[in-house]
């Protein structure tokens, strides 16, 4: 648990493991609540990042989900071109 500052004020932030997900929750006065969840698939090939923003002045709810696939082992040997 910690306090974080942002433009316009201060918010409480809690983070930790909830089962197999790592969760970061940020709550501020008169600000939306932001909840980020990070989860790794059972085969360790996908990372799922979920973002939920809810509340605030307009009391809206936004949910986003991003899924990252592991790069093939051969990708580690590639070098960027200029």
């Amino acid at each position: 648990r910690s306090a974080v500052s942002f433009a316009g004020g201060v918010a409480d932030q809690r983070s930790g493991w909830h089962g197999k997900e790592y969760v970061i929750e940020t709550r501020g006065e008169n600000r939306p609540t932001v909840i980020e969840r990070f989860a790794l698939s059972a085969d360790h090939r996908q990372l799922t990042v979920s973002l939920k923003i809810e509340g605030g002045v307009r009391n809206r709810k936004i949910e986003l989900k991003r899924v990252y696939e592991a790069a093939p082992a051969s990708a580690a040997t590639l070098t960027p071109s200029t």
Side-chain angles (χ1 to χ4, degrees), residues 16-76:
W17 291 99
H18 291 265
K20 294 185 177 185
E21 293 182 323
Y22 190 77
V23 180
I24 302 170
E25 183 176 334
T26 307
R27 294 179 182 268
E29 286 187 29
N30 301 319
R31 294 281 184 186
T33 297
V34 178
I35 301 171
E36 298 172 275
R37 296 180 178 275
F38 301 84
L40 192 58
S41 65
D43 64 1
H44 297 179
R45 304 284 303 152
Q46 291 182 333
L47 172 66
T48 301
V49 180
S50 301
L51 174 69
K52 184 190 293 186
I53 303 170
E54 59 186 356
V57 177
R58 295 185 180 163
N59 202 26
R60 293 189 179 178
K61 184 176 181 181
I62 298 170
E63 292 188 49
L64 302 170
K65 182 188 269 189
R66 295 173 286 184
V67 179
Y68 297 91
E69 299 280 340
S74 61

